[in-house]
Amino acid sequence: MGEATKYFVVKQKAIPEVLLKVVEAKRLLESEKVLTIQEAVDAVGISRSSFYKYKDDIFPFHDNSQGTTITLTFQMDDEPGILSDVLKIIAEYRANILTIHQSIPINGIASLTLSIQVLQTTGDISRMIEQLEGQTSVHHVKILAKE
């Protein structure tokens, strides 16, 4: 029997440039900014063989997350309104919050675990996580699970 497929969530800065260019070439094709694979690979500066080698194995996180549940963990300051700000961002992206668990703050830092359901109407999850990480009182956001 073959080995089961494994998936990893990796931040963009850790991905080799060729894989990012494959994603960009696919985006150009899907948006019809180019009509052929040759035009797409020429535009991003990779070979056709690189495109074909990786095209089915790399895609933006959001493209493969619809209909799933994602569990996120946060470390954030214990200040009034921070949880509200986090929940507001999730609501803006139209994700469905399934569970919320916040621990008792220790040394002014609270731990929060959220499970969210990604719907067809949900915006780009990668951007949502970036926006959550960008909050001044949020120190850390990590994807714990994707089901």
Side-chain angles (χ1 to χ4, degrees):
M1 287 187 189
E3 188 176 320
T5 301
K6 293 182 182 178
Y7 293 92
F8 299 90
V9 176
V10 181
K11 288 188 177 184
Q12 182 174 343
K13 67 182 180 180
I15 298 175
E17 186 177 353
V18 67
L19 296 177
L20 296 173
K21 289 182 176 186
V22 169
V23 170
E24 179 62 15
K26 288 171 57 173
R27 189 190 65 73
L28 289 171
L29 287 162
E30 289 168 5
S31 68
E32 298 181 351
K33 290 184 179 180
V34 297
L35 300 178
T36 67
I37 290 171
Q38 188 62 54
E39 288 176 314
V41 298
D42 288 346
V44 298
I46 59 173
S47 67
R48 285 172 54 94
S49 62
S50 292
F51 178 82
Y52 282 113
K53 182 175 182 179
Y54 299 116
K55 72 178 179 67
D56 295 328
D57 295 322
I58 181 128
F59 39 84
F61 178 67
H62 178 67
D63 289 355
N64 194 37
S65 59
Q66 290 184 2
T68 61
T69 299
I70 298 171
T71 303
L72 303 170
T73 184
F74 298 75
Q75 296 287 310
M76 54 193 200
D77 292 335
D78 178 30
E79 296 176 3
I82 303 297
L83 177 58
S84 176
D85 293 343
V86 166
L87 298 178
K88 182 179 177 190
I89 291 168
I90 293 168
E92 288 171 358
Y93 280 85
R94 303 180 64 89
N96 185 32
I97 298 171
L98 300 173
T99 64
I100 300 172
H101 175 77
Q102 184 174 351
S103 67
I104 296 173
I106 299 173
N107 296 326
I109 302 294
S111 293
L112 173 71
T113 303
L114 290 175
S115 292
I116 62 171
Q117 182 181 31
V118 180
L119 308 169
Q120 283 189 321
T121 57
T122 302
D124 186 332
I125 294 297
S126 298
R127 287 192 182 162
M128 181 186 77
I129 292 171
E130 277 180 28
Q131 193 172 346
L132 291 166
E133 288 177 326
Q135 297 297 299
T136 55
S137 297
V138 174
H139 302 286
H140 165 75
V141 178
K142 181 178 177 184
I143 299 169
L144 284 184
K146 179 180 172 192
E147 300 169 17

